[in-house]
Amino acid sequence: MRRSLSKQVFANDQFFKAPLFIPLHYRTNHYTLMFLNFQKREFVYLDPFSVKTGNIIKTKILMKNTLQLIKKIISKKSEVTYELKLQDWKICNEKYTHLPDQKDSYNCGVYVIYYARRIIEIVKGLPSGFDVMDTDSEICEKLRPILFEKVLELSDSIHDRCIFCWSSNESNNIVYVECGRCRNWIHVSCLPKPCKERYNKTKKSEAFLCGLCFKK
């Protein structure tokens, strides 16, 4: 979380006029969401597996640690006049217990983004773009294509870059090969020795597999 809360984020008071969403990648396999409303001094922690029941102890610990970290950052900023006192903050998880719990084991990221969108709609009093009475599968089906298109829109293409050195494949002087499974491109000169030996033995009619795909 220290990386996500960059020291540049709280450079001045402008940053405290808007809510802050912090997605947490819990133990590298599950996404949860923290929400801080600086104007109302409200803290929310939503775990897709337990939105309706919540975990008040974990929420208290996260709120304390997060606010202390932010306070430490802004204490070094002379431009910041916003006062952050832990005793002024309150946990408001109960406002969002109507949101659906995650029922499967793999859509936590979709639910976290769904929660963030619904919180924005609730805070701003906007009509919901997605009805919370929808079934879980319907919510995910609606959100997945939207997220997919947005990620593609904001991301660089990796299909024209070597996955080893990350440089472009545009040069005509460099020989590169496409993995027949993951469809990523690799400069032949960047291939590790075992992969290069396999590449040299691979016939033109055969698909070459990169080191990761070859082990699968």
Side-chain angles (χ1 to χ4, degrees):
M1 187 172 70
R2 289 180 181 273
R3 292 180 181 178
S4 62
L5 292 179
S6 167
K7 293 182 179 180
Q8 297 180 357
V9 172
F10 304 103
N12 54 58
D13 286 333
Q14 286 295 116
F15 288 94
F16 297 95
K17 293 182 179 180
L20 175 66
F21 291 91
I22 305 176
L24 295 179
H25 201 194
Y26 185 66
R27 293 184 177 177
T28 70
N29 64 5
H30 182 58
Y31 275 105
T32 60
L33 179 68
M34 288 195 301
F35 166 66
L36 290 81
N37 188 329
F38 291 105
Q39 296 301 304
K40 294 185 177 181
R41 290 171 169 75
E42 295 178 348
F43 184 92
V44 174
Y45 174 68
L46 300 178
D47 184 331
F49 282 144
S50 57
V51 170
K52 298 187 184 304
T53 57
N55 186 327
I56 192 64
I57 296 177
K58 187 173 183 178
T59 303
K60 285 181 178 179
I61 294 172
L62 282 170
M63 181 175 75
K64 179 181 178 181
N65 292 344
T66 303
L67 294 179
Q68 285 180 342
L69 179 57
I70 295 174
K71 187 174 182 178
K72 183 177 180 180
I73 293 173
I74 65 177
S75 66
K76 301 177 182 179
K77 305 288 184 179
S78 58
E79 302 88 350
V80 176
T81 61
Y82 180 87
E83 291 189 22
L84 200 159
K85 298 179 180 178
L86 183 60
Q87 62 268 26
D88 294 338
W89 283 70
K90 56 185 176 181
I91 295 172
C92 295
N93 291 358
E94 71 280 356
K95 288 186 177 182
Y96 306 100
T97 54
H98 63 284
L99 296 177
D101 283 336
Q102 178 184 346
K103 296 296 193 299
D104 54 45
S105 60
Y106 53 87
N107 268 317
C108 53
V110 175
Y111 277 85
V112 162
I113 296 176
Y114 171 74
Y115 296 157
R117 178 171 180 150
R118 288 295 292 119
I119 289 173
I120 292 172
E121 292 169 346
I122 292 169
V123 170
K124 292 187 175 182
L126 300 175
S128 174
F130 298 98
D131 189 350
V132 295
M133 297 305 292
D134 285 348
T135 64
D136 298 332
S137 60
E138 288 176 339
I139 291 173
C140 293
E141 287 302 316
K142 289 178 179 178
L143 279 176
R144 274 192 177 281
I146 295 174
L147 299 179
F148 179 76
E149 291 298 327
K150 184 59 66 175
V151 168
L152 288 181
E153 177 186 332
L154 299 177
S155 300
D156 292 329
S157 172
I158 65 171
H159 293 293
D160 61 351
R161 295 185 179 276
C162 171
I163 61 172
F164 280 87
C165 70
W166 207 243
S167 61
S168 173
N169 294 324
E170 294 177 353
S171 175
N172 294 325
N173 299 324
I174 300 178
V175 179
Y176 53 93
V177 60
E178 181 186 25
C179 174
R181 179 173 292 173
C182 67
R183 299 301 176 187
N184 285 313
W185 290 89
I186 309 104
H187 294 144
V188 173
S189 58
C190 292
L191 288 172
K193 187 176 179 179
C195 292
K196 190 174 291 186
E197 291 176 353
R198 280 194 298 103
Y199 168 76
N200 292 330
K201 295 178 181 179
T202 301
K203 298 178 181 179
K204 291 185 178 180
S205 59
E206 297 175 343
F208 171 77
L209 298 180
C210 69
L212 293 175
C213 291
F214 183 72
K215 295 178 181 179
K216 292 179 180 178

